[in-house]
Amino acid sequence: MTRGALKQWRLVIPVVIFFGLYGLAAKSLGFEQIAVPTSINDVFFNLPALLAVFAYNVLPLRKWTNAGHHRAVQRNVREKMAAIAGADIEELPQKKIMDIFYRQIDNDPTLKAKSEIIMSNGLIWTSLADLSVLSIIYAAFSILSYIVGLFQSDILFIQYAGLAIVSLLFQMVVTGRHIRLSDDQLEYMADYRSDEIISDFGQNS
């Protein structure tokens, strides 16, 4: 998977999830006629839904949900990059170490090939974050609707809450895989690009 394709999918997937959850609510509450859109035109003419998805993509909700997992992945990379260079992890700013890591990938065809697998896993990772965030939002609306007596949406709340919990648990599993995949890259770097890494650390210290 290329970076360009990854960016495109990260825009599309929240739309799919949003309308999927929207359809679940419509069916559960007896509004099948406003369930999941059946064509692209239906999607584009559903202005309130599109505005909601746009707001979701602008707000950093996905980033907040994934923040802890992202820190764990980057911490692992920084520690092992510093170990390859024989340097202290505090010797360089975090961003500098990550820049050195990505520079190695950009300059090596084998690492680029490995990064495509990592980007595919990253898409699953962020998609699970999207599912968890949107499920939590739908769960909140469901329970509020039930409390104020607008809809009998208690079962719907349980479904959304269950989806949120499952997706959050799967995020941990996918994070573990992401770390193992990046370890594979780091092992390759230690074997074949240690001189370049040591030189980059020296130039930036």
Side-chain angles (χ1 to χ4, degrees), residues 13-101:
I13 285 175
V15 177
V16 174
I17 293 172
F18 180 90
F19 280 109
L21 297 176
Y22 172 80
L24 177 61
K27 188 173 181 179
S28 177
L29 297 173
F31 301 121
E32 287 87 349
Q33 68 274 19
I34 58 165
V36 182
T38 56
S39 70
I40 295 296
N41 284 337
D42 289 343
V43 172
F44 284 120
F45 282 105
N46 194 327
L47 187 59
L50 284 178
L51 288 174
V53 173
F54 175 77
Y56 172 77
N57 276 305
V58 170
L59 294 170
L61 299 176
R62 175 198 289 152
K63 185 178 179 180
W64 291 343
T65 307
N66 240 1
H69 303 302
H70 195 253
R71 281 195 297 269
V73 171
Q74 289 209 337
R75 176 78 186 181
N76 179 65
V77 169
R78 293 197 308 272
E79 286 178 349
K80 291 181 178 174
M81 287 289 288
I84 292 169
D88 190 288
I89 193 172
E90 305 300 334
E91 196 170 304
L92 285 178
Q94 296 179 7
K95 185 179 182 303
K96 286 285 186 184
I97 299 177
M98 296 308 299
D99 286 345
I100 293 170
F101 173 73

Side-chain angles (χ1 to χ4, degrees), residues 11-201:
L11 291 173
V12 170
I13 285 175
V15 177
V16 174
I17 293 172
F18 180 90
F19 280 109
L21 297 176
Y22 172 80
L24 177 61
K27 188 173 181 179
S28 177
L29 297 173
F31 301 121
E32 287 87 349
Q33 68 274 19
I34 58 165
V36 182
T38 56
S39 70
I40 295 296
N41 284 337
D42 289 343
V43 172
F44 284 120
F45 282 105
N46 194 327
L47 187 59
L50 284 178
L51 288 174
V53 173
F54 175 77
Y56 172 77
N57 276 305
V58 170
L59 294 170
L61 299 176
R62 175 198 289 152
K63 185 178 179 180
W64 291 343
T65 307
N66 240 1
H69 303 302
H70 195 253
R71 281 195 297 269
V73 171
Q74 289 209 337
R75 176 78 186 181
N76 179 65
V77 169
R78 293 197 308 272
E79 286 178 349
K80 291 181 178 174
M81 287 289 288
I84 292 169
D88 190 288
I89 193 172
E90 305 300 334
E91 196 170 304
L92 285 178
Q94 296 179 7
K95 185 179 182 303
K96 286 285 186 184
I97 299 177
M98 296 308 299
D99 286 345
I100 293 170
F101 173 73
Y102 291 123
R103 190 178 302 128
Q104 306 311 311
I105 295 170
D106 290 340
N107 292 328
D108 190 292
T110 301
L111 289 172
K112 281 184 181 178
K114 291 177 184 290
S115 72
E116 290 181 7
I117 300 170
I118 292 178
M119 282 189 278
S120 297
N121 191 72
L123 180 61
I124 299 170
W125 198 28
T126 54
S127 299
L128 286 167
D130 292 332
L131 180 58
S132 62
V133 171
L134 289 170
S135 295
I136 289 168
I137 291 170
Y138 270 90
F141 277 110
S142 298
I143 197 63
L144 285 172
S145 297
Y146 178 74
I147 290 169
V148 301
L150 189 61
F151 297 115
Q152 289 297 315
S153 50
D154 50 334
I155 300 300
L156 195 57
F157 165 75
I158 293 169
Q159 292 173 323
Y160 287 141
L163 274 174
I165 292 167
V166 169
S167 55
L168 287 168
L169 291 173
F170 270 104
Q171 271 183 270
M172 291 188 282
V173 174
V174 176
T175 299
R177 184 167 187 264
H178 212 79
I179 289 172
R180 290 192 296 275
L181 288 169
S182 58
D183 279 345
D184 184 46
Q185 283 186 315
L186 289 159
E187 287 171 13
Y188 177 91
M189 290 181 190
D191 290 339
Y192 300 106
R193 299 194 62 86
S194 56
D195 290 343
E196 289 87 347
I197 293 169
I198 291 167
S199 174
D200 280 352
F201 265 78

